[in-house]
């Protein structure tokens, strides 16, 4: 980890410890840091990833179209030029 990356992680940690994760190599696991934790420059850290989310138009025939906003998916669902569809919100689950 470069000094710049460590500085970015330290700044995020100062605002909210849960925004940083430490890698536990023995278990191959990333764990959230808790208030009162300390940063050690020789340990491996990362900023806690933010889950991605998107919306789908799930058509009756099983096909789907993705959208970055609920509004876009809803507009397409209302458009009679396309197959009838259901708007589905998808949120990524991170380990």
């Amino acid at each position: 980890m470069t000094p710049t990356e460590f500085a970015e992680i330290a700044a995020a940690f100062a605002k909210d410890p849960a925004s940083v994760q430490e890698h536990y190599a023995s278990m191959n696991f990333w764990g959230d840091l808790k208030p009162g934790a300390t940063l050690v420059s020789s340990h491996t850290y990362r900023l806690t990833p933010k889950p991605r989310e998107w919306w789908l138009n799930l058509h009756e025939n099983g096909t789907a179209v993705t959208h970055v906003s609920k509004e876009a998916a809803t507009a397409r669902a209302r458009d009679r030029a396309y197959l009838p569809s259901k708007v589905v919100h998808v949120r990524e689950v991170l380990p």
Side-chain angles (χ1 to χ4, degrees):
M1 173 180 312
T2 68
T4 303
E5 291 169 331
F6 189 77
E8 182 181 348
I9 286 171
F13 176 78
K15 288 181 184 176
D16 177 17
S19 68
V20 176
Q21 293 181 325
E22 182 176 1
H23 187 252
Y24 300 97
S26 63
M27 298 180 287
N28 194 24
F29 170 77
W30 288 95
D32 294 339
L33 295 180
K34 307 288 185 229
T38 57
L39 295 178
V40 179
S41 62
S42 62
H43 291 195
T44 303
Y45 300 100
R46 71 175 182 186
L47 297 176
T48 302
K50 303 286 185 233
R52 296 179 301 153
E53 56 185 335
W54 61 95
W55 286 260
L56 294 174
N57 286 108
L58 186 57
H59 299 290
E60 291 176 350
N61 67 358
T63 62
V65 177
T66 62
H67 300 278
V68 295
S69 71
K70 182 178 182 178
E71 294 76 19
T74 303
R76 180 157 181 160
R78 279 192 232 132
D79 189 341
R80 295 186 189 274
Y82 297 103
L83 294 170
S85 65
K86 179 178 180 181
V87 175
V88 178
H89 181 227
V90 181
R91 188 164 193 255
E92 180 178 49
V93 177
L94 299 172

